[in-house]
Structure formats: C-alpha cells, structure tokens
Amino acid sequence: MTKMDWGMKNRLSRIISPKTGHTVMLAVDHGYFLGPTTGLEQPWKTIKPILPHADCLMLTRGVLRNSVPPEIDKPIILRVSGGASIVGPELLHEGIATSIEDAIRLNAAAVAFSIMVGAPYERDTILGLTQVVDECQRYGIPVLAVTAVGKEMKRDARYLALATRIAAEFGASVVKTYYCENFEKVVDGSPVPVVIAGGKKIPEKDALEMAYNAIEAGAIGVDMGRNIFQSENPVAMIKAVREIVHNGANAKEAFELYNSLKSK
Ligand code: R5P
C-alpha cells in the first residue's frame, strides 16, 4: 500500500470526520449543468442556514467566489468537471473545467470530477479523471469521483459497482454514486470509501430511508443536495440526515427527529 502524504490525509480528515469515519457533504453544484435549480436561485440564502450542519460544501468556483463569504470555516469540495448542459446535445461529455491551480487558490480541501461510464464519451471522462488525479497527487488534494448516470443507463448494483470500481482504480480518494438495491455490492467492490448522492427530490421519509440503507450497506456518508435544500424544512432535514450518518439513528428515528424539528 502506498503511504499517503500528510497533506492528503489532512485534507481527507477535513471532509470525512475522523471521529465517526463518516461525512455529510452538502452538494450545491447543480447549476453547473442545470442552471438556477429550484432552491439554488440565490445560493447563499439557501446555503447559509444549512451549512453549520454539513461537514463540507460541494460547489463550483463561480458560486463559491460570488455567493459564499470567504470567512466560512467549512471545507470546500470544488467541482472541476463540466462543459455540458441539460439542454445541449452532449450532456455526458464533460472535461476538466477548472484548473487545480485555481482549486488551490480557493483553498479547496478536495475536488470533484464526474466520469460517465458506459456513455459515448466515457474515455474522455475517465482520462480527464486520471489527469486531475495526477495533478492533485502533486499537491496532496483528494479527488472525489462522481459516477454520473445517463438516462439510458440502468442504476443497478452491477452498473454502479462497475463505475465505482473504475473511478477507484484510477485514483479517486472517495467515490460518489447513487444508491441502489444490493448496494453492498457497490461498496464491497470499491477499495476506497463510497458516498451516495441523493438524486431527485423524494419525500423526506424515503430520502432518510435511502440514507440509512446506504450507511447500513457500508457507505461512509452522503453528498446530498436536492433532498436537503428542496426539503420543506432544509435545516430539520440535514439534522435528521446527520443523525443517521454520524449518530447511528435508524430511518424511523431520523424521520421522527425531522418531524419534531419541523413542527418547532
Ligand atoms: C451531480 O452530479 C451533482 O454533482 C450533484 O451534486 C449531485 O447529484 C448531488 O446532488 P443531489 O443529492 O441533488 O443528487
């Protein structure tokens, strides 16, 4: 096993709690291909009340520089892939969209890069990941690989385990993927920690169940966006997610907490 550099370890310990080995990442990077996503029209207004309950914040440099005060003490996971949009012809054709030099300038604790396994441009995206990993290794910066899924790909354990493993094979420090049935297969096939994205907004009870099931299956946490910031009560929701991720609550207990916080 290669000895991990001190800087790399230190940055990882900023995004993954050394106390619990788990993490609640708050994802607000959606605008990079979706535009002003519901709930993120005025990013800081949404982020500010939720941020104290997140372990780190995942976003693009544009929103970071323009909407987030530099005085915050939360580690940043900077999205560095992009180049396609929801209305364009090649949604899954992303490349390196932000330099590692800029990630360092922004004091990023980690960077995030999407790979599109099974999509027509998978090669470009996987080689993009390797380039970002090489550059980040030079400076001790962990890479969170995101296994984005095209409309035509089935989000089952076979596919997600494949995509997750490929991301890890090429040097990702953490892999973000989607939850699916038999999620143990995805986690067990990955030599690095796995977190789940929340995906489209679903009822709070269901989102908490998904988070619980993912943790039970071995995920180290969530990198969740819409199911938190589009919730009827985002602060109550992130607190409930934290109870699952860091404090061992089950889905029922977390949902009860959500309801009690919501009613206050
Ligand atoms: C998608 O690739 C983006 O990175 C989002 O940050 C990610 O999907 C997580 O957000 P959500 O929980 O809303 O799916």
CSV table of all heavy atoms in Angstrom, one decimal, residues 93-150:
chain,number,residue,atom,x,y,z
A,93,HIS,N,-20.8,14.7,-21.8
A,93,HIS,CA,-19.4,14.9,-22.3
A,93,HIS,C,-18.7,16.0,-21.5
A,93,HIS,O,-18.6,17.1,-22.0
A,93,HIS,CB,-19.5,15.3,-23.8
A,93,HIS,CG,-18.2,15.1,-24.5
A,93,HIS,ND1,-17.9,15.5,-25.8
A,93,HIS,CD2,-17.0,14.7,-24.0
A,93,HIS,CE1,-16.7,15.3,-26.1
A,93,HIS,NE2,-16.1,14.8,-25.1
A,94,GLU,N,-18.3,15.7,-20.4
A,94,GLU,CA,-17.6,16.7,-19.5
A,94,GLU,C,-16.1,16.5,-19.6
A,94,GLU,O,-15.6,15.5,-20.0
A,94,GLU,CB,-18.0,16.5,-18.0
A,94,GLU,CG,-19.5,16.8,-17.8
A,94,GLU,CD,-19.8,16.9,-16.3
A,94,GLU,OE1,-18.9,16.7,-15.5
A,94,GLU,OE2,-21.0,17.0,-16.0
A,95,GLY,N,-15.4,17.6,-19.3
A,95,GLY,CA,-14.0,17.6,-19.3
A,95,GLY,C,-13.5,18.4,-18.1
A,95,GLY,O,-14.3,18.8,-17.2
A,96,ILE,N,-12.2,18.7,-18.1
A,96,ILE,CA,-11.7,19.5,-16.9
A,96,ILE,C,-12.1,20.9,-17.2
A,96,ILE,O,-11.7,21.6,-18.2
A,96,ILE,CB,-10.1,19.3,-16.9
A,96,ILE,CG1,-9.8,17.8,-16.7
A,96,ILE,CG2,-9.6,20.2,-15.7
A,96,ILE,CD1,-8.3,17.5,-16.8
A,97,ALA,N,-12.8,21.5,-16.2
A,97,ALA,CA,-13.4,22.8,-16.4
A,97,ALA,C,-12.8,23.8,-15.5
A,97,ALA,O,-13.1,25.0,-15.6
A,97,ALA,CB,-14.9,22.8,-16.2
A,98,THR,N,-12.0,23.4,-14.5
A,98,THR,CA,-11.3,24.3,-13.6
A,98,THR,C,-10.0,23.7,-13.2
A,98,THR,O,-9.8,22.5,-13.0
A,98,THR,CB,-12.2,24.3,-12.3
A,98,THR,OG1,-13.5,24.9,-12.6
A,98,THR,CG2,-11.5,25.2,-11.2
A,99,SER,N,-9.0,24.6,-13.2
A,99,SER,CA,-7.6,24.1,-13.0
A,99,SER,C,-7.4,23.8,-11.5
A,99,SER,O,-8.0,24.3,-10.7
A,99,SER,CB,-6.6,25.1,-13.5
A,99,SER,OG,-6.6,26.3,-12.6
A,100,ILE,N,-6.4,22.9,-11.3
A,100,ILE,CA,-6.0,22.6,-9.9
A,100,ILE,C,-5.4,23.8,-9.3
A,100,ILE,O,-5.5,24.0,-8.1
A,100,ILE,CB,-5.1,21.3,-9.9
A,100,ILE,CG1,-5.9,20.1,-10.6
A,100,ILE,CG2,-4.7,20.9,-8.5
A,100,ILE,CD1,-7.3,19.9,-10.2
A,101,GLU,N,-4.7,24.6,-10.1
A,101,GLU,CA,-4.1,25.8,-9.5
A,101,GLU,C,-5.2,26.7,-8.9
A,101,GLU,O,-5.1,27.2,-7.8
A,101,GLU,CB,-3.4,26.6,-10.7
A,101,GLU,CG,-2.7,27.8,-10.2
A,101,GLU,CD,-2.3,28.8,-11.3
A,101,GLU,OE1,-2.4,28.4,-12.5
A,101,GLU,OE2,-1.8,29.9,-11.0
A,102,ASP,N,-6.4,26.8,-9.6
A,102,ASP,CA,-7.5,27.6,-9.1
A,102,ASP,C,-8.1,26.9,-7.8
A,102,ASP,O,-8.5,27.6,-6.9
A,102,ASP,CB,-8.6,27.8,-10.1
A,102,ASP,CG,-9.2,29.2,-9.9
A,102,ASP,OD1,-8.6,30.1,-9.2
A,102,ASP,OD2,-10.4,29.4,-10.3
A,103,ALA,N,-8.1,25.6,-7.8
A,103,ALA,CA,-8.6,24.9,-6.6
A,103,ALA,C,-7.7,25.2,-5.4
A,103,ALA,O,-8.2,25.4,-4.3
A,103,ALA,CB,-8.6,23.4,-6.9
A,104,ILE,N,-6.4,25.3,-5.7
A,104,ILE,CA,-5.5,25.6,-4.6
A,104,ILE,C,-5.7,27.0,-4.1
A,104,ILE,O,-5.8,27.3,-2.9
A,104,ILE,CB,-4.0,25.3,-5.0
A,104,ILE,CG1,-3.8,23.9,-5.3
A,104,ILE,CG2,-3.1,25.9,-4.0
A,104,ILE,CD1,-2.5,23.5,-6.0
A,105,ARG,N,-5.9,27.9,-5.1
A,105,ARG,CA,-6.1,29.3,-4.8
A,105,ARG,C,-7.4,29.5,-3.9
A,105,ARG,O,-7.4,30.3,-3.0
A,105,ARG,CB,-6.3,30.1,-6.1
A,105,ARG,CG,-6.3,31.6,-5.9
A,105,ARG,CD,-6.4,32.3,-7.3
A,105,ARG,NE,-5.2,32.1,-8.1
A,105,ARG,CZ,-5.2,31.5,-9.3
A,105,ARG,NH1,-6.3,31.1,-9.8
A,105,ARG,NH2,-4.1,31.4,-9.9
A,106,LEU,N,-8.4,28.6,-4.2
A,106,LEU,CA,-9.6,28.7,-3.5
A,106,LEU,C,-9.6,27.9,-2.2
A,106,LEU,O,-10.6,27.7,-1.5
A,106,LEU,CB,-10.8,28.2,-4.3
A,106,LEU,CG,-11.2,29.2,-5.4
A,106,LEU,CD1,-12.0,28.5,-6.5
A,106,LEU,CD2,-11.9,30.4,-4.9
A,107,ASN,N,-8.4,27.3,-1.9
A,107,ASN,CA,-8.2,26.6,-0.6
A,107,ASN,C,-9.1,25.4,-0.5
A,107,ASN,O,-9.7,25.0,0.5
A,107,ASN,CB,-8.4,27.5,0.6
A,107,ASN,CG,-7.8,26.9,1.8
A,107,ASN,OD1,-6.9,26.0,1.8
A,107,ASN,ND2,-8.3,27.2,3.0
A,108,ALA,N,-9.3,24.7,-1.7
A,108,ALA,CA,-10.2,23.5,-1.7
A,108,ALA,C,-9.6,22.4,-0.9
A,108,ALA,O,-8.4,22.1,-1.0
A,108,ALA,CB,-10.5,23.1,-3.1
A,109,ALA,N,-10.4,21.7,-0.2
A,109,ALA,CA,-10.0,20.5,0.6
A,109,ALA,C,-10.0,19.3,-0.3
A,109,ALA,O,-9.3,18.3,0.0
A,109,ALA,CB,-10.9,20.3,1.8
A,110,ALA,N,-10.8,19.3,-1.4
A,110,ALA,CA,-10.9,18.2,-2.3
A,110,ALA,C,-11.5,18.8,-3.6
A,110,ALA,O,-12.0,19.9,-3.6
A,110,ALA,CB,-11.7,17.1,-1.8
A,111,VAL,N,-11.3,18.0,-4.7
A,111,VAL,CA,-12.0,18.4,-5.9
A,111,VAL,C,-12.9,17.2,-6.4
A,111,VAL,O,-12.7,16.1,-6.0
A,111,VAL,CB,-11.0,18.8,-7.1
A,111,VAL,CG1,-10.1,19.9,-6.7
A,111,VAL,CG2,-10.2,17.5,-7.5
A,112,ALA,N,-14.0,17.6,-7.2
A,112,ALA,CA,-14.9,16.6,-7.6
A,112,ALA,C,-14.9,16.5,-9.2
A,112,ALA,O,-14.9,17.6,-9.8
A,112,ALA,CB,-16.3,16.9,-7.1
A,113,PHE,N,-14.9,15.3,-9.7
A,113,PHE,CA,-14.8,15.1,-11.1
A,113,PHE,C,-15.8,14.0,-11.5
A,113,PHE,O,-15.7,12.9,-10.9
A,113,PHE,CB,-13.4,14.8,-11.5
A,113,PHE,CG,-13.2,14.9,-13.0
A,113,PHE,CD1,-12.7,16.0,-13.6
A,113,PHE,CD2,-13.5,13.8,-13.8
A,113,PHE,CE1,-12.5,16.1,-15.0
A,113,PHE,CE2,-13.3,13.8,-15.2
A,113,PHE,CZ,-12.8,15.0,-15.8
A,114,SER,N,-16.6,14.2,-12.5
A,114,SER,CA,-17.6,13.2,-13.0
A,114,SER,C,-17.0,12.3,-14.1
A,114,SER,O,-16.4,12.8,-15.0
A,114,SER,CB,-18.9,13.8,-13.5
A,114,SER,OG,-19.5,14.4,-12.4
A,115,ILE,N,-17.3,11.0,-13.9
A,115,ILE,CA,-17.0,10.1,-15.0
A,115,ILE,C,-18.3,9.5,-15.5
A,115,ILE,O,-19.2,9.3,-14.8
A,115,ILE,CB,-16.0,9.0,-14.7
A,115,ILE,CG1,-16.4,8.1,-13.5
A,115,ILE,CG2,-14.6,9.6,-14.4
A,115,ILE,CD1,-15.6,6.8,-13.4
A,116,MET,N,-18.4,9.3,-16.8
A,116,MET,CA,-19.6,8.8,-17.5
A,116,MET,C,-19.4,7.4,-18.0
A,116,MET,O,-19.3,7.3,-19.3
A,116,MET,CB,-20.0,9.8,-18.6
A,116,MET,CG,-19.9,11.3,-18.2
A,116,MET,SD,-21.0,11.7,-16.9
A,116,MET,CE,-20.7,13.5,-16.8
A,117,VAL,N,-19.3,6.5,-17.2
A,117,VAL,CA,-19.1,5.1,-17.6
A,117,VAL,C,-20.2,4.6,-18.5
A,117,VAL,O,-21.4,4.7,-18.0
A,117,VAL,CB,-18.8,4.2,-16.4
A,117,VAL,CG1,-18.6,2.7,-16.8
A,117,VAL,CG2,-17.5,4.7,-15.7
A,118,GLY,N,-19.9,4.0,-19.6
A,118,GLY,CA,-21.0,3.5,-20.5
A,118,GLY,C,-21.6,4.5,-21.5
A,118,GLY,O,-22.3,4.1,-22.4
A,119,ALA,N,-21.2,5.8,-21.3
A,119,ALA,CA,-21.7,6.8,-22.2
A,119,ALA,C,-20.7,6.9,-23.4
A,119,ALA,O,-19.6,6.5,-23.3
A,119,ALA,CB,-21.8,8.1,-21.5
A,120,PRO,N,-21.2,7.5,-24.5
A,120,PRO,CA,-20.3,7.6,-25.7
A,120,PRO,C,-18.9,8.2,-25.4
A,120,PRO,O,-18.0,7.9,-26.0
A,120,PRO,CB,-21.1,8.5,-26.6
A,120,PRO,CG,-22.5,8.3,-26.2
A,120,PRO,CD,-22.5,8.1,-24.7
A,121,TYR,N,-18.8,9.2,-24.4
A,121,TYR,CA,-17.6,9.8,-24.2
A,121,TYR,C,-16.9,9.3,-22.9
A,121,TYR,O,-16.1,10.1,-22.3
A,121,TYR,CB,-17.8,11.3,-24.1
A,121,TYR,CG,-18.2,11.9,-25.4
A,121,TYR,CD1,-19.6,12.2,-25.6
A,121,TYR,CD2,-17.4,12.0,-26.5
A,121,TYR,CE1,-20.0,12.6,-26.9
A,121,TYR,CE2,-17.8,12.5,-27.7
A,121,TYR,CZ,-19.2,12.8,-27.9
A,121,TYR,OH,-19.6,13.3,-29.1
A,122,GLU,N,-17.1,8.1,-22.6
A,122,GLU,CA,-16.6,7.6,-21.3
A,122,GLU,C,-15.0,7.7,-21.3
A,122,GLU,O,-14.5,8.1,-20.3
A,122,GLU,CB,-17.0,6.1,-21.0
A,122,GLU,CG,-16.4,5.1,-21.9
A,122,GLU,CD,-16.7,3.7,-21.4
A,122,GLU,OE1,-17.4,3.4,-20.5
A,122,GLU,OE2,-16.1,2.8,-22.0
A,123,ARG,N,-14.4,7.5,-22.4
A,123,ARG,CA,-12.9,7.5,-22.5
A,123,ARG,C,-12.4,8.9,-22.1
A,123,ARG,O,-11.5,9.1,-21.3
A,123,ARG,CB,-12.5,7.1,-23.9
A,123,ARG,CG,-11.0,7.1,-24.0
A,123,ARG,CD,-10.6,6.5,-25.4
A,123,ARG,NE,-9.2,6.3,-25.4
A,123,ARG,CZ,-8.3,7.2,-25.7
A,123,ARG,NH1,-8.7,8.5,-26.0
A,123,ARG,NH2,-7.0,6.9,-25.8
A,124,ASP,N,-13.0,9.9,-22.7
A,124,ASP,CA,-12.6,11.3,-22.4
A,124,ASP,C,-12.8,11.6,-20.9
A,124,ASP,O,-11.9,12.2,-20.2
A,124,ASP,CB,-13.5,12.3,-23.1
A,124,ASP,CG,-13.3,12.3,-24.6
A,124,ASP,OD1,-12.5,11.5,-25.0
A,124,ASP,OD2,-13.8,13.2,-25.3
A,125,THR,N,-13.9,11.1,-20.3
A,125,THR,CA,-14.1,11.5,-18.9
A,125,THR,C,-13.2,10.7,-18.0
A,125,THR,O,-12.7,11.2,-17.0
A,125,THR,CB,-15.6,11.3,-18.5
A,125,THR,OG1,-16.0,9.9,-18.6
A,125,THR,CG2,-16.5,12.2,-19.4
A,126,ILE,N,-12.9,9.5,-18.3
A,126,ILE,CA,-12.1,8.7,-17.5
A,126,ILE,C,-10.6,9.2,-17.6
A,126,ILE,O,-9.9,9.3,-16.6
A,126,ILE,CB,-12.1,7.2,-17.8
A,126,ILE,CG1,-13.5,6.6,-17.4
A,126,ILE,CG2,-11.0,6.4,-17.1
A,126,ILE,CD1,-13.8,5.2,-17.9
A,127,LEU,N,-10.2,9.5,-18.8
A,127,LEU,CA,-8.8,10.1,-18.9
A,127,LEU,C,-8.8,11.5,-18.3
A,127,LEU,O,-7.7,11.9,-17.8
A,127,LEU,CB,-8.4,10.2,-20.4
A,127,LEU,CG,-8.2,8.8,-21.0
A,127,LEU,CD1,-7.8,8.9,-22.5
A,127,LEU,CD2,-7.2,7.9,-20.2
A,128,GLY,N,-9.9,12.2,-18.3
A,128,GLY,CA,-9.9,13.5,-17.6
A,128,GLY,C,-9.7,13.3,-16.1
A,128,GLY,O,-9.0,14.0,-15.4
A,129,LEU,N,-10.3,12.3,-15.6
A,129,LEU,CA,-10.2,11.9,-14.1
A,129,LEU,C,-8.7,11.6,-13.8
A,129,LEU,O,-8.2,12.1,-12.9
A,129,LEU,CB,-11.1,10.7,-13.7
A,129,LEU,CG,-10.8,10.2,-12.3
A,129,LEU,CD1,-11.3,11.1,-11.3
A,129,LEU,CD2,-11.5,8.8,-12.2
A,130,THR,N,-8.1,10.8,-14.7
A,130,THR,CA,-6.7,10.5,-14.4
A,130,THR,C,-5.8,11.7,-14.4
A,130,THR,O,-4.9,11.8,-13.6
A,130,THR,CB,-6.1,9.4,-15.5
A,130,THR,OG1,-6.1,10.0,-16.7
A,130,THR,CG2,-7.0,8.2,-15.5
A,131,GLN,N,-6.1,12.6,-15.3
A,131,GLN,CA,-5.3,13.9,-15.4
A,131,GLN,C,-5.5,14.7,-14.1
A,131,GLN,O,-4.5,15.2,-13.5
A,131,GLN,CB,-5.7,14.7,-16.6
A,131,GLN,CG,-4.7,15.6,-17.1
A,131,GLN,CD,-5.2,16.4,-18.3
A,131,GLN,OE1,-5.8,15.8,-19.2
A,131,GLN,NE2,-4.9,17.7,-18.3
A,132,VAL,N,-6.7,14.8,-13.6
A,132,VAL,CA,-7.0,15.5,-12.4
A,132,VAL,C,-6.3,14.8,-11.2
A,132,VAL,O,-5.7,15.5,-10.3
A,132,VAL,CB,-8.5,15.7,-12.2
A,132,VAL,CG1,-8.9,16.1,-10.8
A,132,VAL,CG2,-9.0,16.7,-13.2
A,133,VAL,N,-6.4,13.5,-11.2
A,133,VAL,CA,-5.8,12.8,-10.1
A,133,VAL,C,-4.3,13.0,-10.1
A,133,VAL,O,-3.7,13.3,-9.0
A,133,VAL,CB,-6.1,11.3,-10.1
A,133,VAL,CG1,-5.2,10.5,-9.2
A,133,VAL,CG2,-7.6,11.0,-9.8
A,134,ASP,N,-3.7,12.9,-11.2
A,134,ASP,CA,-2.2,13.2,-11.3
A,134,ASP,C,-1.8,14.5,-10.8
A,134,ASP,O,-0.9,14.7,-10.0
A,134,ASP,CB,-1.7,13.0,-12.8
A,134,ASP,CG,-1.5,11.6,-13.2
A,134,ASP,OD1,-1.4,10.7,-12.3
A,134,ASP,OD2,-1.6,11.3,-14.4
A,135,GLU,N,-2.6,15.5,-11.2
A,135,GLU,CA,-2.3,16.9,-10.8
A,135,GLU,C,-2.5,17.1,-9.3
A,135,GLU,O,-1.7,17.7,-8.6
A,135,GLU,CB,-3.1,17.9,-11.6
A,135,GLU,CG,-2.5,18.2,-12.9
A,135,GLU,CD,-3.3,19.2,-13.7
A,135,GLU,OE1,-3.6,20.3,-13.1
A,135,GLU,OE2,-3.6,19.0,-14.9
A,136,CYS,N,-3.6,16.5,-8.8
A,136,CYS,CA,-4.0,16.6,-7.4
A,136,CYS,C,-3.0,15.9,-6.5
A,136,CYS,O,-2.7,16.3,-5.4
A,136,CYS,CB,-5.4,16.1,-7.2
A,136,CYS,SG,-6.6,17.4,-7.7
A,137,GLN,N,-2.5,14.8,-7.0
A,137,GLN,CA,-1.5,14.0,-6.2
A,137,GLN,C,-0.3,14.9,-5.9
A,137,GLN,O,0.3,14.8,-4.8
A,137,GLN,CB,-1.0,12.8,-7.0
A,137,GLN,CG,-2.0,11.6,-7.1
A,137,GLN,CD,-2.1,10.9,-5.8
A,137,GLN,OE1,-1.4,11.1,-4.8
A,137,GLN,NE2,-3.1,10.0,-5.7
A,138,ARG,N,0.1,15.7,-6.9
A,138,ARG,CA,1.3,16.6,-6.7
A,138,ARG,C,1.1,17.5,-5.5
A,138,ARG,O,2.1,17.8,-4.9
A,138,ARG,CB,1.4,17.4,-8.0
A,138,ARG,CG,2.8,17.7,-8.4
A,138,ARG,CD,2.8,18.4,-9.8
A,138,ARG,NE,2.5,17.4,-10.9
A,138,ARG,CZ,1.9,17.7,-12.0
A,138,ARG,NH1,1.5,18.9,-12.3
A,138,ARG,NH2,1.7,16.8,-13.0
A,139,TYR,N,-0.1,17.9,-5.2
A,139,TYR,CA,-0.4,18.8,-4.1
A,139,TYR,C,-1.1,18.2,-2.9
A,139,TYR,O,-1.5,18.9,-2.0
A,139,TYR,CB,-1.2,20.0,-4.7
A,139,TYR,CG,-0.5,20.6,-5.9
A,139,TYR,CD1,-1.0,20.5,-7.2
A,139,TYR,CD2,0.7,21.4,-5.8
A,139,TYR,CE1,-0.4,21.0,-8.3
A,139,TYR,CE2,1.3,21.9,-6.9
A,139,TYR,CZ,0.8,21.7,-8.1
A,139,TYR,OH,1.4,22.2,-9.2
A,140,GLY,N,-1.3,16.9,-3.0
A,140,GLY,CA,-1.9,16.3,-1.8
A,140,GLY,C,-3.4,16.6,-1.7
A,140,GLY,O,-4.0,16.7,-0.6
A,141,ILE,N,-4.1,16.7,-2.9
A,141,ILE,CA,-5.5,17.0,-2.8
A,141,ILE,C,-6.3,15.8,-3.2
A,141,ILE,O,-6.1,15.2,-4.3
A,141,ILE,CB,-5.8,18.2,-3.8
A,141,ILE,CG1,-5.0,19.4,-3.4
A,141,ILE,CG2,-7.3,18.5,-3.9
A,141,ILE,CD1,-5.1,20.6,-4.4
A,142,PRO,N,-7.3,15.4,-2.4
A,142,PRO,CA,-8.1,14.2,-2.7
A,142,PRO,C,-9.1,14.5,-3.8
A,142,PRO,O,-9.5,15.6,-4.0
A,142,PRO,CB,-8.8,13.9,-1.4
A,142,PRO,CG,-8.5,14.9,-0.4
A,142,PRO,CD,-7.6,15.9,-1.1
A,143,VAL,N,-9.4,13.5,-4.6
A,143,VAL,CA,-10.3,13.7,-5.7
A,143,VAL,C,-11.6,12.8,-5.4
A,143,VAL,O,-11.5,11.6,-5.1
A,143,VAL,CB,-9.8,13.2,-7.1
A,143,VAL,CG1,-10.8,13.3,-8.2
A,143,VAL,CG2,-8.5,14.0,-7.4
A,144,LEU,N,-12.7,13.5,-5.4
A,144,LEU,CA,-14.0,12.8,-5.2
A,144,LEU,C,-14.5,12.5,-6.7
A,144,LEU,O,-14.8,13.5,-7.4
A,144,LEU,CB,-15.0,13.7,-4.5
A,144,LEU,CG,-16.5,13.3,-4.5
A,144,LEU,CD1,-16.7,12.1,-3.5
A,144,LEU,CD2,-17.4,14.4,-4.1
A,145,ALA,N,-14.5,11.2,-7.0
A,145,ALA,CA,-15.0,10.9,-8.4
A,145,ALA,C,-16.5,10.8,-8.3
A,145,ALA,O,-17.0,10.1,-7.4
A,145,ALA,CB,-14.4,9.7,-8.9
A,146,VAL,N,-17.2,11.3,-9.2
A,146,VAL,CA,-18.7,11.2,-9.3
A,146,VAL,C,-19.1,10.3,-10.4
A,146,VAL,O,-18.7,10.6,-11.6
A,146,VAL,CB,-19.3,12.7,-9.5
A,146,VAL,CG1,-20.8,12.6,-9.4
A,146,VAL,CG2,-18.8,13.6,-8.4
A,147,THR,N,-19.8,9.3,-10.1
A,147,THR,CA,-20.3,8.4,-11.2
A,147,THR,C,-21.7,8.9,-11.7
A,147,THR,O,-22.7,8.4,-11.1
A,147,THR,CB,-20.3,6.9,-10.7
A,147,THR,OG1,-21.3,6.8,-9.7
A,147,THR,CG2,-19.0,6.5,-10.3
A,148,ALA,N,-21.6,9.8,-12.6
A,148,ALA,CA,-22.9,10.3,-13.1
A,148,ALA,C,-23.5,9.2,-14.0
A,148,ALA,O,-22.8,8.4,-14.6
A,148,ALA,CB,-22.7,11.6,-13.8
A,149,VAL,N,-24.8,9.3,-14.1
A,149,VAL,CA,-25.5,8.2,-14.8
A,149,VAL,C,-26.4,8.9,-15.9
A,149,VAL,O,-27.2,9.7,-15.6
A,149,VAL,CB,-26.4,7.4,-13.9
A,149,VAL,CG1,-27.1,6.3,-14.6
A,149,VAL,CG2,-25.6,6.8,-12.8
A,150,GLY,N,-26.2,8.4,-17.1
A,150,GLY,CA,-27.0,8.9,-18.2
A,150,GLY,C,-28.4,8.3,-18.2
A,150,GLY,O,-28.6,7.3,-17.5
